[in-house]
Amino acid sequence: MAIEKDPTASFYSQNAVTYAASSAPNTRRLDSFLSKLAPGAAILELGCGSGRDSAVMIARGFDVTPTDGTPEMAEEAARHLGRPVGVLRFGEIEAVSAFDGIWANACLLHAPRAELGGILGRIHEALHPGGVFYASFKAGEAEGYDGLGRYYNYPSKVWLSAAYGASAWASVDIDEVHGSGYDKKPTDWLHVLAVKA
């Protein structure tokens, strides 16, 4: 599917400035993730959006590689961070044992269900043994689109556990929390913290 025909990518392309301005760091989850990593650890951020989380990690001395799948969002993040931000779509991850941690806050929820297993495999491959991986998803029972035209895979906890089960993780912890998102609507979230075997 070409990026210009993907309604989710189009949303972020057209609303990059507004979306970036509205975002705030997920401090509690980020603190928990970083506490499991050594000082100066190498971290890949997927779907960095405004670059807010990368900014926190960089300020704390981590070796961060911020990326986003939408060029316009990557430009916004680069402006915010004062450094280059790569354009990287999930299916293009090719790193092997390159990172101590991978942070994917509220971005893999846009990956098509049929592709998510393969993407999780690529992420697993990109981590060092013992590497830590965080991702968050909007919970549901069937994939679909929200009121803003964005695609979501809307997994259940059981479905998501099975998707992670295809790779060798030492642990996969899934936390269910009620909250909200950019659209301000009530949302059930699944927060996943996995450690590579």
Side-chain angles (χ1 to χ4, degrees), residues 2 16 25 47 53 92 164 181:
D53 293 343
E92 297 167 351
Y164 272 78

Side-chain angles (χ1 to χ4, degrees), residues 2-193:
I3 190 167
E4 60 271 17
K5 294 182 182 176
D6 175 348
T8 306
S10 295
F11 170 86
Y12 290 109
S13 295
Q14 294 160 13
N15 297 281
V17 175
T18 306
Y19 187 85
S22 75
S23 60
N26 182 351
T27 310
R28 187 168 71 85
R29 302 283 172 184
L30 191 54
D31 286 347
S32 175
F33 169 77
L34 295 176
S35 74
K36 293 169 174 46
L37 297 170
I43 301 170
L44 170 65
E45 181 174 8
L46 300 173
C48 74
S50 67
R52 69 194 184 195
D53 293 343
S54 278
V56 171
M57 293 187 276
I58 291 166
R60 294 189 191 178
F62 291 95
D63 177 13
V64 184
T65 302
T67 67
D68 198 277
T70 306
E72 293 82 358
M73 288 302 311
E75 288 172 20
E76 282 301 307
R79 238 190 309 280
H80 179 213
L81 295 169
R83 60 191 282 180
V85 172
V87 176
L88 179 67
R89 294 175 70 92
F90 307 135
E92 297 167 351
I93 300 167
E94 294 181 345
V96 177
S97 297
F99 299 99
D100 303 300
I102 295 179
W103 177 258
N105 185 52
C107 61
L108 289 176
L109 39 66
H110 294 309
R113 278 193 176 209
E115 298 173 20
L116 186 59
I119 291 166
L120 293 175
R122 286 174 178 267
I123 288 169
H124 184 273
E125 187 78 4
L127 284 167
H128 293 304
V132 183
F133 168 43
Y134 168 82
S136 55
F137 299 83
K138 288 187 176 184
E141 296 299 331
E143 58 192 334
Y145 292 83
D146 71 358
L148 299 173
R150 300 176 295 174
Y151 168 88
Y152 286 89
N153 44 40
Y154 292 126
S156 66
K157 185 174 181 178
V158 171
W159 190 95
L160 196 55
S161 293
Y164 272 78
S167 297
W169 301 100
S171 63
V172 177
D173 296 316
I174 303 179
D175 188 18
E176 300 177 87
V177 177
H178 190 69
S180 186
Y182 178 76
D183 60 6
K184 308 294 188 230
K185 294 187 176 178
T187 304
D188 290 320
W189 287 90
L190 299 173
H191 297 275
V192 189
L193 194 65

